[in-house]
Coordinates of all heavy atoms in Angstrom, one line a residue:
M8 N 0.9 -1.2 0.0 CA 0.0 0.0 0.0 C 0.8 1.2 0.0 O 1.9 1.3 0.8 CB -0.9 0.0 1.2 CG -1.8 1.2 1.3 SD -3.2 1.2 2.5 CE -2.2 1.1 4.0
S9 N 0.5 2.2 -0.8 CA 1.2 3.5 -0.8 C 0.2 4.6 -0.8 O -0.9 4.5 -1.3 CB 2.0 3.6 -2.3 OG 2.9 2.5 -2.3
V10 N 0.7 5.7 -0.1 CA -0.2 6.9 -0.1 C 0.6 8.1 -0.5 O 1.8 8.2 -0.1 CB -0.6 7.1 1.5 CG1 -1.4 8.4 1.6 CG2 -1.4 5.8 1.9
W11 N 0.1 8.9 -1.3 CA 0.7 10.2 -1.8 C -0.3 11.3 -1.4 O -1.5 11.2 -1.5 CB 1.0 10.2 -3.3 CG 1.9 9.3 -3.7 CD1 3.3 9.5 -3.6 CD2 1.7 8.0 -4.3 NE1 3.9 8.4 -4.2 CE2 2.9 7.5 -4.6 CE3 0.7 7.3 -4.5 CZ2 3.3 6.3 -5.1 CZ3 0.7 6.1 -5.1 CH2 2.0 5.5 -5.4
V12 N 0.2 12.4 -0.8 CA -0.5 13.6 -0.5 C 0.2 14.7 -1.0 O 1.3 15.0 -0.7 CB -0.8 13.7 1.0 CG1 -1.6 15.0 1.3 CG2 -1.5 12.5 1.6
W13 N -0.5 15.6 -1.9 CA 0.1 16.8 -2.4 C -0.8 17.9 -1.8 O -2.0 17.9 -1.9 CB 0.0 16.8 -3.9 CG 1.0 16.0 -4.7 CD1 2.2 16.2 -4.9 CD2 0.7 14.6 -5.1 NE1 2.8 15.1 -5.5 CE2 1.9 14.1 -5.6 CE3 -0.4 13.7 -4.9 CZ2 2.1 12.8 -6.1 CZ3 -0.3 12.5 -5.5 CH2 0.9 12.0 -6.1
S14 N -0.1 18.9 -1.3 CA -0.7 19.9 -0.6 C -0.4 21.3 -1.1 O 0.6 21.6 -1.6 CB -0.4 20.0 0.9 OG -1.0 21.0 1.6
S15 N -1.6 22.2 -1.2 CA -1.4 23.6 -1.4 C -2.2 24.4 -0.6 O -3.4 24.4 -0.7 CB -1.9 23.7 -3.0 OG -1.8 25.2 -3.2
G16 N -1.6 24.8 0.5 CA -2.4 25.5 1.6 C -3.2 24.5 2.5 O -2.6 23.5 2.8
D17 N -4.4 24.8 2.7 CA -5.2 24.0 3.6 C -5.7 22.8 2.9 O -5.9 21.8 3.6 CB -6.4 24.7 4.1 CG -6.0 25.9 5.0 OD1 -4.9 25.9 5.5 OD2 -6.8 26.9 5.1
E18 N -6.0 22.7 1.7 CA -6.4 21.5 1.1 C -5.3 20.8 0.3 O -4.2 21.2 0.1 CB -7.5 21.9 -0.1 CG -8.7 22.5 0.5 CD -9.9 22.7 -0.5 OE1 -9.7 22.2 -1.6 OE2 -10.7 23.4 -0.2
A19 N -5.6 19.4 0.1 CA -4.6 18.6 -0.6 C -5.3 17.6 -1.4 O -6.5 17.4 -1.4 CB -3.8 17.9 0.5
L20 N -4.5 17.0 -2.3 CA -4.9 15.8 -3.1 C -4.3 14.5 -2.5 O -3.2 14.5 -2.1 CB -4.4 16.0 -4.5 CG -4.4 14.7 -5.5 CD1 -5.8 14.3 -5.9 CD2 -3.5 15.0 -6.5
A21 N -5.2 13.4 -2.3 CA -4.6 12.3 -1.8 C -4.8 11.1 -2.7 O -5.9 11.0 -3.2 CB -5.3 12.0 -0.5
I22 N -3.9 10.3 -2.9 CA -3.9 9.1 -3.7 C -3.4 7.8 -2.8 O -2.3 7.9 -2.2 CB -3.1 9.1 -5.0 CG1 -3.5 10.3 -5.7 CG2 -3.0 7.8 -5.8 CD1 -2.7 10.6 -7.0
L23 N -4.2 6.8 -2.8 CA -3.9 5.6 -2.0 C -3.9 4.4 -3.0 O -4.8 4.2 -3.8 CB -5.1 5.3 -1.0 CG -5.0 4.0 -0.3 CD1 -3.8 3.9 0.6 CD2 -6.2 3.7 0.5
D24 N -2.8 3.7 -3.1 CA -2.6 2.6 -4.1 C -2.6 1.3 -3.2 O -1.9 1.3 -2.2 CB -1.3 2.6 -4.8 CG -1.4 3.5 -6.0 OD1 -2.5 4.0 -6.4 OD2 -0.3 4.1 -6.4
V25 N -3.5 0.3 -3.6 CA -3.5 -0.9 -2.9 C -3.4 -2.1 -3.9 O -4.0 -2.0 -5.0 CB -4.9 -1.1 -2.2 CG1 -5.0 -2.4 -1.4 CG2 -5.1 0.1 -1.2
S26 N -2.7 -3.1 -3.5 CA -2.4 -4.2 -4.4 C -3.0 -5.5 -3.6 O -2.8 -5.7 -2.5 CB -1.0 -4.5 -4.7 OG -0.5 -3.5 -5.5
D27 N -3.7 -6.3 -4.5 CA -4.3 -7.6 -3.9 C -4.1 -8.6 -5.0 O -4.8 -8.8 -5.8 CB -5.8 -7.5 -3.6 CG -6.4 -8.7 -2.9 OD1 -5.7 -9.6 -2.6 OD2 -7.7 -8.8 -2.9
G28 N -3.0 -9.2 -4.8 CA -2.5 -10.3 -5.9 C -2.2 -9.5 -7.2 O -1.5 -8.5 -7.1
G29 N -2.8 -9.8 -8.2 CA -2.7 -9.1 -9.4 C -3.7 -7.9 -9.6 O -3.7 -7.4 -10.6
K30 N -4.5 -7.8 -8.6 CA -5.5 -6.7 -8.7 C -4.9 -5.3 -8.2 O -4.3 -5.4 -7.1 CB -6.7 -7.0 -8.1 CG -7.4 -8.3 -8.7 CD -8.7 -8.6 -8.0 CE -9.2 -9.9 -8.5 NZ -10.3 -10.5 -7.6
Q31 N -5.1 -4.3 -8.9 CA -4.6 -2.9 -8.4 C -5.8 -2.1 -8.3 O -6.6 -2.0 -9.0 CB -3.7 -2.4 -9.5 CG -2.5 -3.3 -9.9 CD -1.5 -3.5 -8.7 OE1 -1.2 -2.5 -8.0 NE2 -1.0 -4.7 -8.6
Y32 N -5.7 -1.3 -7.1 CA -6.7 -0.3 -6.8 C -6.1 1.0 -6.5 O -5.2 1.0 -5.7 CB -7.6 -0.8 -5.6 CG -8.2 -2.2 -5.7 CD1 -7.5 -3.2 -5.4 CD2 -9.5 -2.3 -6.3 CE1 -8.0 -4.5 -5.4 CE2 -10.0 -3.7 -6.5 CZ -9.3 -4.6 -6.0 OH -9.8 -5.9 -6.1
R33 N -6.5 2.0 -7.1 CA -6.1 3.4 -6.8 C -7.3 4.2 -6.5 O -8.2 4.5 -7.2 CB -5.4 4.0 -8.1 CG -5.0 5.5 -7.8 CD -4.1 6.0 -8.8 NE -2.7 5.5 -8.5 CZ -1.6 5.7 -9.2 NH1 -1.7 6.4 -10.4 NH2 -0.5 5.3 -8.8
F34 N -7.3 4.6 -5.1 CA -8.3 5.6 -4.7 C -7.8 7.0 -4.7 O -6.8 7.3 -4.2 CB -8.6 5.2 -3.2 CG -9.2 3.8 -3.2 CD1 -8.5 2.6 -2.8 CD2 -10.6 3.5 -3.3 CE1 -8.8 1.5 -2.8 CE2 -11.1 2.3 -3.2 CZ -10.3 1.2 -3.0
I35 N -8.6 7.9 -5.3 CA -8.2 9.3 -5.5 C -9.2 10.2 -4.9 O -10.4 10.0 -5.1 CB -8.0 9.6 -6.9 CG1 -7.0 8.6 -7.6 CG2 -7.6 11.0 -7.1 CD1 -6.9 8.7 -9.1
A36 N -8.8 11.0 -4.0 CA -9.6 12.1 -3.3 C -9.0 13.4 -3.7 O -8.0 13.8 -3.2 CB -9.6 11.8 -1.8
P37 N -9.6 14.1 -4.7 CA -9.2 15.3 -5.2 C -9.1 16.4 -4.2 O -8.2 17.4 -4.3 CB -10.1 15.8 -6.3 CG -10.8 14.5 -6.7 CD -10.9 13.7 -5.4
R38 N -9.9 16.4 -3.1 CA -9.8 17.5 -2.2 C -10.0 16.9 -0.8 O -11.0 16.3 -0.4 CB -11.1 18.5 -2.3 CG -11.0 19.2 -3.6 CD -12.3 20.1 -3.8 NE -12.3 21.1 -2.7 CZ -13.4 21.5 -2.0 NH1 -14.6 21.0 -2.3 NH2 -13.3 22.4 -1.1
V39 N -8.8 17.0 0.0 CA -8.8 16.5 1.4 C -8.4 17.6 2.2 O -7.6 18.5 1.8 CB -8.0 15.2 1.5 CG1 -8.6 14.1 0.7 CG2 -6.6 15.4 1.2
F40 N -8.7 17.5 3.5 CA -8.1 18.4 4.6 C -7.4 17.6 5.6 O -8.0 16.6 6.1 CB -9.3 19.2 5.2 CG -8.9 20.2 6.2 CD1 -8.3 21.3 5.8 CD2 -9.1 19.9 7.5 CE1 -7.9 22.3 6.8 CE2 -8.6 20.8 8.4 CZ -8.1 22.0 8.1
N41 N -6.2 17.9 5.9 CA -5.4 17.2 6.9 C -5.8 17.8 8.4 O -5.6 19.0 8.6 CB -3.9 17.5 6.7 CG -3.0 16.7 7.7 OD1 -3.5 15.9 8.4 ND2 -1.8 17.0 7.7
Q42 N -6.3 16.9 9.2 CA -6.8 17.2 10.5 C -5.7 16.9 11.6 O -6.0 17.0 12.7 CB -8.1 16.4 10.8 CG -9.3 17.0 10.0 CD -10.5 16.5 10.6 OE1 -10.6 15.2 10.9 NE2 -11.6 17.2 10.6
S43 N -4.6 16.3 11.2 CA -3.7 15.9 12.2 C -2.4 16.9 12.2 O -2.1 17.5 11.3 CB -3.1 14.5 11.9 OG -2.6 14.4 10.6
E44 N -1.9 17.0 13.5 CA -0.6 17.7 13.5 C 0.4 16.7 13.7 O 0.5 15.9 14.6 CB -0.8 18.5 14.8 CG -1.8 19.6 14.8 CD -1.8 20.5 16.0 OE1 -0.8 20.6 16.7 OE2 -2.8 21.1 16.2
V45 N 1.3 16.7 12.7 CA 2.4 15.7 12.6 C 3.7 16.3 12.8 O 4.1 17.3 12.4 CB 2.4 15.0 11.1 CG1 3.4 14.0 11.0 CG2 1.0 14.5 10.8
E46 N 4.5 15.5 13.6 CA 5.8 15.8 14.0 C 6.6 14.7 13.5 O 6.2 13.4 13.7 CB 6.1 16.0 15.4 CG 5.6 17.4 16.0 CD 5.9 17.5 17.5 OE1 7.0 17.0 17.9 OE2 5.2 18.4 18.1
L47 N 7.6 14.8 12.6 CA 8.2 13.7 12.0 C 9.7 13.7 12.2 O 10.4 14.7 12.0 CB 7.9 13.8 10.5 CG 8.5 12.7 9.6 CD1 8.0 11.3 9.8 CD2 8.4 13.1 8.1
E48 N 10.3 12.7 12.7 CA 11.7 12.5 12.8 C 12.2 11.6 11.6 O 11.6 10.5 11.3 CB 12.1 11.7 14.0 CG 12.0 12.5 15.3 CD 12.5 11.7 16.5 OE1 13.5 11.0 16.3 OE2 11.9 12.0 17.5
L49 N 13.1 12.1 10.8 CA 13.7 11.4 9.7 C 14.8 10.6 10.2 O 15.8 11.0 10.6 CB 14.2 12.4 8.6 CG 13.0 13.2 8.0 CD1 13.6 14.2 7.0 CD2 12.0 12.4 7.2
N50 N 14.7 9.3 9.9 CA 15.7 8.2 10.2 C 16.2 7.7 9.0 O 15.5 7.7 7.9 CB 15.2 7.2 11.2 CG 14.7 7.8 12.5 OD1 15.3 8.7 13.1 ND2 13.5 7.4 13.0
K51 N 17.4 7.0 9.1 CA 17.9 6.4 7.9 C 17.3 4.9 7.9 O 18.0 3.9 8.0 CB 19.4 6.3 7.9 CG 20.0 7.7 7.8 CD 21.5 7.6 7.7 CE 22.1 9.0 7.5 NZ 23.5 9.0 7.3
T52 N 16.1 4.8 7.6 CA 15.4 3.5 7.5 C 14.6 3.5 6.3 O 14.3 4.5 5.7 CB 14.4 3.2 8.7 OG1 13.4 4.3 8.6 CG2 15.0 3.1 10.1
P53 N 14.3 2.3 5.7 CA 13.6 2.3 4.5 C 12.2 2.8 4.4 O 11.8 3.1 3.4 CB 13.6 0.8 4.1 CG 14.1 -0.1 5.3 CD 14.7 1.1 6.2
E54 N 11.5 2.9 5.5 CA 10.2 3.4 5.5 C 10.0 4.2 6.8 O 10.6 4.0 7.8 CB 9.2 2.3 5.3 CG 9.2 1.3 6.5 CD 8.3 0.1 6.2 OE1 8.2 -0.4 5.1 OE2 7.5 -0.1 7.0
T55 N 9.0 5.1 6.7 CA 8.7 6.0 7.9 C 7.2 6.0 8.0 O 6.5 6.2 6.9 CB 9.3 7.4 7.7 OG1 10.7 7.3 7.5 CG2 8.9 8.4 8.9
K56 N 6.7 5.9 9.1 CA 5.2 6.0 9.3 C 4.8 7.5 9.5 O 5.5 8.2 10.2 CB 4.8 5.3 10.5 CG 4.9 3.8 10.4 CD 4.4 3.0 11.6 CE 4.6 1.5 11.4 NZ 4.1 0.8 12.5
L57 N 3.9 7.9 8.7 CA 3.4 9.3 8.8 C 1.9 9.2 9.1 O 1.1 9.0 8.2 CB 3.7 9.9 7.5 CG 3.3 11.4 7.3 CD1 4.0 12.3 8.4 CD2 3.5 12.0 5.9
P58 N 1.5 9.5 10.4 CA 0.2 9.3 10.8 C -0.6 10.6 10.3 O -0.5 11.7 10.6 CB 0.2 9.4 12.3 CG 1.5 10.1 12.6 CD 2.4 9.8 11.4
L59 N -1.5 10.3 9.3 CA -2.4 11.3 8.8 C -3.9 11.0 9.1 O -4.3 9.9 9.1 CB -2.3 11.4 7.2 CG -0.9 11.8 6.7 CD1 -0.8 11.8 5.2 CD2 -0.5 13.3 7.2
R60 N -4.6 12.1 9.3 CA -6.0 11.9 9.5 C -6.6 12.9 8.4 O -6.5 14.2 8.6 CB -6.5 12.3 10.8 CG -8.0 12.1 11.0 CD -8.4 12.3 12.5 NE -9.8 12.1 12.5 CZ -10.6 12.4 13.5 NH1 -10.2 12.9 14.5 NH2 -11.9 12.3 13.4
L61 N -7.1 12.4 7.4 CA -7.6 13.3 6.3 C -9.2 13.2 6.2 O -9.7 12.1 6.4 CB -7.1 12.6 4.9 CG -5.6 12.7 4.8 CD1 -5.1 12.0 3.4 CD2 -4.9 14.1 4.9
T62 N -9.7 14.3 5.9 CA -11.2 14.4 5.8 C -11.4 14.7 4.3 O -10.8 15.6 3.7 CB -11.7 15.6 6.6 OG1 -11.5 15.3 8.0 CG2 -13.2 15.8 6.4
I63 N -12.3 13.8 3.7 CA -12.5 13.9 2.3 C -13.7 15.1 2.1 O -14.6 15.1 2.7 CB -13.0 12.7 1.6 CG1 -11.9 11.7 1.7 CG2 -13.4 12.9 0.2 CD1 -12.2 10.3 1.2
L64 N -13.3 16.1 1.3 CA -14.2 17.2 1.0 C -14.9 17.0 -0.2 O -14.4 16.6 -1.3 CB -13.4 18.5 0.9 CG -12.5 19.0 2.1 CD1 -11.7 20.1 1.8 CD2 -13.3 19.1 3.3
G65 N -16.3 17.2 -0.3 CA -17.0 17.0 -1.4 C -17.1 18.3 -2.3 O -16.5 19.3 -1.9
G66 N -17.7 18.2 -3.3 CA -17.8 19.4 -4.2 C -18.8 19.3 -5.3 O -19.2 18.2 -5.6
D67 N -19.3 20.4 -5.9 CA -20.3 20.4 -6.9 C -19.7 20.0 -8.3 O -20.3 19.4 -9.0 CB -21.0 21.7 -7.0 CG -21.8 21.9 -5.8 OD1 -22.2 21.1 -5.1 OD2 -21.9 23.2 -5.5
E68 N -18.4 20.2 -8.4 CA -17.8 20.0 -9.7 C -17.1 18.8 -9.9 O -16.8 18.2 -11.0 CB -16.8 21.1 -9.9 CG -17.5 22.5 -10.2 CD -16.9 23.4 -9.1 OE1 -15.8 23.2 -8.7 OE2 -17.6 24.4 -8.9
V69 N -16.8 18.0 -8.8 CA -16.0 16.8 -8.9 C -16.6 15.8 -7.8 O -17.1 16.3 -6.8 CB -14.5 17.1 -8.8 CG1 -14.2 17.6 -7.3 CG2 -13.7 15.9 -9.1
D70 N -16.4 14.5 -8.1 CA -16.8 13.5 -7.0 C -15.9 13.7 -5.8 O -14.7 14.1 -5.9 CB -16.7 12.1 -7.6 CG -17.7 11.8 -8.7 OD1 -18.8 12.4 -8.6 OD2 -17.4 10.9 -9.6
A71 N -16.4 13.3 -4.7 CA -15.6 13.5 -3.5 C -14.3 12.4 -3.6 O -13.4 12.8 -3.0 CB -16.5 13.1 -2.2
W72 N -14.6 11.3 -4.2 CA -13.4 10.3 -4.3 C -13.9 9.4 -5.5 O -15.0 9.3 -5.8 CB -13.1 9.6 -3.1 CG -14.2 8.6 -2.6 CD1 -15.3 8.9 -1.9 CD2 -14.4 7.3 -3.0 NE1 -16.1 7.9 -1.7 CE2 -15.6 6.8 -2.4 CE3 -13.6 6.3 -3.7 CZ2 -16.0 5.4 -2.5 CZ3 -14.1 5.0 -3.8 CH2 -15.3 4.6 -3.2
Y73 N -12.8 8.8 -6.1 CA -13.2 7.8 -7.1 C -12.0 6.7 -7.1 O -11.0 7.0 -6.5 CB -13.3 8.4 -8.4 CG -12.3 9.3 -9.0 CD1 -11.3 8.8 -9.8 CD2 -12.2 10.7 -8.6 CE1 -10.3 9.6 -10.3 CE2 -11.2 11.4 -9.1 CZ -10.3 10.9 -9.9 OH -9.3 11.7 -10.4
M74 N -12.4 5.6 -7.8 CA -11.4 4.5 -7.9 C -11.0 4.1 -9.3 O -11.9 4.1 -10.1 CB -12.0 3.3 -7.1 CG -11.2 2.0 -7.2 SD -11.9 0.7 -6.3 CE -13.3 0.3 -7.3
I75 N -9.8 3.8 -9.5 CA -9.3 3.2 -10.7 C -8.8 1.9 -10.5 O -8.0 1.7 -9.6 CB -8.3 4.2 -11.4 CG1 -8.8 5.6 -11.7 CG2 -7.7 3.5 -12.7 CD1 -7.7 6.5 -12.1
T76 N -9.2 0.8 -11.2 CA -8.8 -0.5 -11.0 C -8.8 -1.5 -12.2 O -9.4 -1.0 -13.2 CB -9.7 -1.2 -9.9 OG1 -9.3 -2.5 -9.6 CG2 -11.2 -1.3 -10.3
N77 N -8.0 -2.4 -12.1 CA -8.1 -3.4 -13.2 C -8.8 -4.7 -12.8 O -8.9 -5.7 -13.4 CB -6.6 -3.9 -13.6 CG -5.9 -4.6 -12.3 OD1 -6.3 -4.6 -11.2 ND2 -4.8 -5.2 -12.7
D78 N -9.5 -4.6 -11.6 CA -10.3 -5.7 -11.1 C -11.7 -5.8 -12.0 O -12.5 -4.7 -12.0 CB -10.8 -5.4 -9.7 CG -11.5 -6.5 -9.0 OD1 -12.1 -7.4 -9.7 OD2 -11.6 -6.5 -7.8
S79 N -11.9 -6.9 -12.7 CA -13.0 -7.1 -13.6 C -14.3 -7.0 -12.9 O -15.4 -6.8 -13.5 CB -12.9 -8.3 -14.4 OG -12.9 -9.5 -13.5
A80 N -14.4 -7.2 -11.6 CA -15.6 -7.2 -10.8 C -16.2 -5.7 -10.8 O -17.4 -5.5 -10.6 CB -15.4 -7.6 -9.3
F81 N -15.4 -4.7 -11.2 CA -15.8 -3.3 -11.2 C -16.0 -2.8 -12.7 O -16.2 -1.6 -12.8 CB -14.8 -2.4 -10.5 CG -14.9 -2.7 -8.9 CD1 -14.0 -3.5 -8.3 CD2 -15.8 -2.0 -8.1 CE1 -14.0 -3.6 -6.9 CE2 -15.9 -2.2 -6.7 CZ -14.9 -3.1 -6.2
A82 N -15.8 -3.7 -13.6 CA -16.0 -3.3 -15.0 C -17.3 -2.7 -15.4 O -18.4 -3.3 -14.8 CB -15.5 -4.5 -15.9
L83 N -17.5 -1.9 -16.2 CA -18.8 -1.5 -16.6 C -19.5 -2.5 -17.5 O -18.8 -3.2 -18.2 CB -18.6 -0.1 -17.5 CG -18.1 1.0 -16.8 CD1 -17.8 2.2 -17.8 CD2 -18.9 1.5 -15.7
P84 N -20.8 -2.6 -17.3 CA -21.5 -3.7 -18.2 C -21.4 -3.3 -19.6 O -21.4 -2.1 -20.1 CB -22.9 -3.6 -17.6 CG -22.9 -2.4 -16.9 CD -21.6 -1.8 -16.5
V85 N -21.3 -4.4 -20.5 CA -21.3 -4.2 -21.9 C -22.7 -4.2 -22.4 O -23.4 -5.1 -22.2 CB -20.4 -5.2 -22.6 CG1 -20.5 -5.2 -24.0 CG2 -19.0 -5.3 -22.0
T86 N -23.1 -3.0 -23.1 CA -24.4 -3.0 -23.7 C -24.4 -3.4 -25.2 O -23.5 -3.0 -25.9 CB -25.0 -1.6 -23.4 OG1 -24.2 -0.7 -24.0 CG2 -25.2 -1.3 -22.0
P87 N -25.4 -4.2 -25.7 CA -25.4 -4.6 -27.0 C -25.7 -3.4 -28.0 O -26.3 -2.4 -27.7 CB -26.5 -5.7 -27.2 CG -27.2 -5.6 -26.0 CD -26.4 -4.9 -24.9

């Protein structure tokens, strides 16, 4: 699992990647607000935990969140 957060002021964009075997899921929240106060120590380790508490913000112009996947269970139905 991977998480990316890009911030510009109070709002941010968040992307969460999840793998389940050969299935890939990418959850995208175009507008989130960070509610946590994070203090981070950088160590020379391969990974660092970054505790985030994000609130997904809705909007009239865009969905609050969406998913991109190669999982056929979420494929759109084919119409003749």
Side-chain angles (χ1 to χ4, degrees):
M8 179 169 66
S9 301
V10 177
W11 292 278
V12 178
W13 288 272
S14 179
S15 173
D17 293 337
E18 291 186 15
L20 162 76
I22 299 175
L23 169 67
D24 282 337
V25 178
S26 297
D27 182 12
K30 298 175 185 174
Q31 305 291 322
Y32 304 90
R33 175 168 280 180
F34 297 92
I35 302 169
R38 295 180 60 221
V39 297
F40 180 76
N41 182 12
Q42 291 188 320
S43 57
E44 294 182 24
V45 177
E46 290 184 22
L47 179 65
E48 284 187 33
L49 296 176
N50 300 314
K51 292 185 178 184
T52 59
E54 59 185 49
T55 301
K56 292 183 180 181
L57 182 60
L59 293 176
R60 183 175 178 190
L61 302 174
T62 299
I63 297 176
L64 304 172
D67 293 334
E68 295 119 23
V69 66
D70 290 334
W72 67 275
Y73 55 96
M74 177 180 64
I75 300 171
T76 183
N77 65 348
D78 187 345
S79 60
F81 291 96
L83 296 173
V85 178
T86 56

